[in-house]
Amino acid sequence: MDSNKKPGWVTAVAIIGIVLSGFGVMGGIQESLTPIMLEAQRAEYEAIIEEFNNITVDDGQFVSEEDQQIIDMLQSFTKFFEKILNMPEWYLNWLVISGIISMLVHGFYLFAAIWLMQLKPYAPRYLAVALPLSIAFAITRTTIAVQALDSMALLMMGGTLIAMVVEIVLLIVLLVKDKSAFKQFEA
């Protein structure tokens, strides 16, 4: 193989990996700060809940079918906000720990993807470790979120679930493709 020629799969996997891991690091930062942000926004959430409750109570018997659909939607939003405000204390603590772990896992994943792009000799091995770690952590985070927040967690974890599916595809590509481009640099 020509030393100046990088396989297309390497570029594709590396770029997608860099994007997903970058979002993972940023998501980890946000997740670890969730308890602080939630407390800072508690008054706004409570005002929204109160306003939604006022709208849905007013003239409940004289509404059209379209208005009833809007009221039902507002009631589901109210339940969503109430669920967020009443997260279990253990889950808020988990979010801090989970965010820190996410930054570490996705930071390693980010470096592995960058090294893959640079054709570093051990990059495929590092990425073959980073991807399953990220996938396993996504499953763990989603499972714990469902335990804390019921089915609403699946809506909140939608991005995580989509990223996990993409990472499974990246892992399969990484495992089955020819890695001879990485051997040229080994001594």
Side-chain angles (χ1 to χ4, degrees):
M1 169 172 275
D2 182 12
S3 63
N4 295 330
K5 181 91 170 128
K6 185 184 304 182
W9 73 266
V10 171
T11 304
V13 168
I15 290 173
I16 294 169
I18 289 168
V19 170
L20 291 178
S21 61
F23 282 135
V25 170
M26 291 186 299
I29 293 168
Q30 180 183 0
E31 191 170 339
S32 65
L33 296 174
T34 296
I36 295 168
M37 292 186 301
L38 186 61
E39 202 51 47
Q41 297 170 342
R42 183 170 296 279
E44 288 87 1
Y45 281 139
E46 290 170 348
I48 290 170
I49 290 170
E50 185 178 335
E51 188 63 34
F52 282 172
N53 284 334
N54 290 341
I55 291 171
T56 58
V57 170
D58 293 343
D59 279 335
Q61 51 189 303
F62 301 108
V63 295
S64 67
E65 187 176 318
E66 294 84 17
D67 290 341
Q68 187 59 46
Q69 289 175 345
I70 293 171
I71 289 171
D72 292 343
M73 184 178 65
L74 290 176
Q75 287 174 338
S76 65
F77 280 135
T78 301
K79 289 177 186 172
F80 178 78
F81 285 123
E82 286 173 343
K83 193 74 164 175
I84 288 174
L85 283 178
N86 298 316
M87 282 186 202
E89 187 65 33
W90 67 265
Y91 187 64
L92 291 172
N93 294 332
W94 160 253
L95 287 174
V96 174
I97 295 166
S98 173
I100 293 168
I101 294 170
S102 182
M103 286 184 278
L104 295 172
V105 167
H106 290 101
F108 174 64
Y109 176 9
L110 178 62
F111 281 110
I114 291 169
W115 292 332
L116 189 78
M117 180 69 92
Q118 296 173 342
L119 298 176
K120 301 271 185 183
Y122 292 105
R125 291 181 198 156
Y126 292 153
L127 198 57
V129 171
L131 283 168
L133 279 175
S134 180
I135 293 165
F137 191 60
I139 293 169
T140 303
R141 287 178 56 229
T142 303
T143 303
I144 292 174
V146 168
Q147 288 176 352
L149 305 171
D150 300 322
S151 59
M152 181 184 78
L154 296 176
L155 294 173
M156 295 173 62
M157 302 299 286
T160 299
L161 296 173
I162 292 169
M164 182 181 66
V165 171
V166 173
E167 288 171 346
I168 291 170
V169 172
L170 293 180
L171 182 60
I172 292 168
V173 169
L174 179 69
L175 294 176
V176 300
K177 289 296 186 173
D178 177 33
K179 293 172 223 30
S180 61
F182 297 94
K183 295 189 186 331
Q184 66 185 341
F185 297 107
E186 291 180 351

